[in-house]
Amino acid sequence: MTQSERRTYLISALLKEQPQYSETEIPKGEAEQKILLRSLFNIRMPIPVSGEFSKVQDEYLQEEIKLKGVTDIADLQPVQDGIYLWKGDITTLKCDAVVNAANSQMLGCFCPNHGCIDNAIHTYAGVGLRLECAKIMNAQRTAEPTGKAKITRAYNLPCRYVLHTVGPIVSGVLTKKHCEQLASCYRSCLELAEQYNLKSVAFCCISTGEFRFPNDRAAETAIQAVKEYKTRTQSEIKVIFNVFKEIDYNIYRKLLGADK
């Protein structure tokens, strides 16, 4: 199958699962097809798929990530001992684990084509990630607490694992509790990574954006939590602060002394 044929197959299969969309015509343009496919991935409930679907999906997503370009941590230079700063798409980063800023439902973002990292990670990992998260949550039988972490396979992402953590939501004035909860997200992810003998972890900007944690205070909290953990435990785990927006890149560069 060509990439175009894979995309058409996946769209057709996903439309058939949704009776209300069964008469939807597949657009001819590649960009429009990609938008529709991502939307269908996003709204799909965690239900099993056929072996054929999985095979085609995996081939398609791995090729899409390859086309975007994979960045290996081995090719990055640390800005401090064991600490890296990288601006780019976290779904293209090859390291032991990437951190997903999840919500308390822990099933990924169901909003079609939403710009959050939860949406991106679940889209490019594939439907298997939502299925695994659903199994975890069904066993837990309660919402995921703020500041904790769970680990799953990464499926079609170039990393090996995904660490899912729920950051604090800032609905008004930033409080000490918000900062403590955010710091707990970083510690919990690092502790879980150590349990699985992971050597490198890439953190996104947890709780910024939709959760409205101020970008500068989030970065300060993240760096402090990571450094305190590494000092206290003598951990040699490599930490990548992954940013996507220029504002966060500039904040982290200044705080990490990368401009010196």
Side-chain angles (χ1 to χ4, degrees), residues 44 46 56 73 127 166 217 222 241:
R44 187 180 190 274
V56 176
I73 185 177
V127 300
V166 180
R217 293 293 302 278
F241 289 112

Side-chain angles (χ1 to χ4, degrees), residues 91-221:
T91 66
T92 65
L93 186 57
K94 185 178 181 181
C95 58
D96 280 351
V98 300
V99 173
N100 178 33
N103 56 49
S104 60
Q105 188 182 14
M106 265 272 291
L107 296 179
C109 173
F110 283 86
C111 182
N113 288 282
H114 194 256
C116 69
I117 195 165
D118 198 15
N119 187 294
I121 285 176
H122 274 267
T123 296
Y124 287 98
V127 300
L129 179 56
R130 181 166 282 170
L131 279 164
E132 184 175 351
C133 287
K135 290 179 181 178
I136 292 171
M137 297 309 289
N138 287 337
Q140 183 166 294
R141 301 178 68 181
T142 185
E144 179 70 2
T146 300
K148 301 299 182 180
K150 293 288 190 297
I151 188 168
T152 65
R153 291 170 50 201
Y155 296 88
N156 291 295
L157 300 176
C159 57
R160 295 170 55 207
Y161 297 95
V162 178
L163 301 170
H164 306 262
T165 189
V166 180
I169 299 173
V170 181
S171 55
V173 177
L174 184 69
T175 65
K176 181 179 179 181
K177 182 178 180 180
H178 291 138
C179 296
E180 290 172 346
Q181 288 175 326
L182 184 60
S184 179
C185 289
Y186 286 88
R187 287 194 301 271
S188 295
C189 286
L190 290 171
E191 288 167 357
L192 194 53
E194 297 276 18
Q195 289 175 28
Y196 280 77
N197 296 313
L198 306 188
K199 305 301 181 185
S200 57
V201 172
F203 283 100
C204 61
C205 298
I206 303 167
S207 275
T208 59
E210 293 294 316
F211 282 15
R212 299 182 296 279
F213 203 111
N215 298 63
D216 53 349
R217 293 293 302 278
E220 291 170 1
T221 303

Side-chain angles (χ1 to χ4, degrees), residues 79-80 83-87 182 186 202-208 213-227 239-260:
V79 293
Q80 292 185 13
I83 295 179
Y84 299 70
L85 174 62
W86 181 70
K87 181 175 180 286
L182 184 60
Y186 286 88
F203 283 100
C204 61
C205 298
I206 303 167
S207 275
T208 59
F213 203 111
N215 298 63
D216 53 349
R217 293 293 302 278
E220 291 170 1
T221 303
I223 292 171
Q224 182 179 359
V226 167
K227 286 189 172 182
V239 171
I240 307 164
F241 289 112
N242 165 242
V243 299
F244 193 71
K245 297 178 180 178
E246 191 69 20
I247 183 175
D248 292 310
Y249 184 65
N250 291 332
I251 290 170
Y252 273 92
R253 280 187 65 86
K254 181 177 180 181
L255 292 174
L256 293 170
D259 292 321
K260 296 179 181 178

Side-chain angles (χ1 to χ4, degrees), residues 25-59:
E25 291 187 10
I26 300 177
K28 292 183 170 57
E30 178 181 331
E32 291 80 8
Q33 288 180 2
K34 287 185 175 182
I35 290 171
L36 176 56
L37 177 57
R38 181 164 181 165
S39 297
L40 291 168
F41 275 140
N42 296 158
I43 66 173
R44 187 180 190 274
M45 298 303 291
I47 55 177
V49 293
S50 67
E52 181 183 8
F53 183 94
S54 292
K55 180 177 182 296
V56 176
Q57 174 206 242
D58 293 351
E59 291 172 348

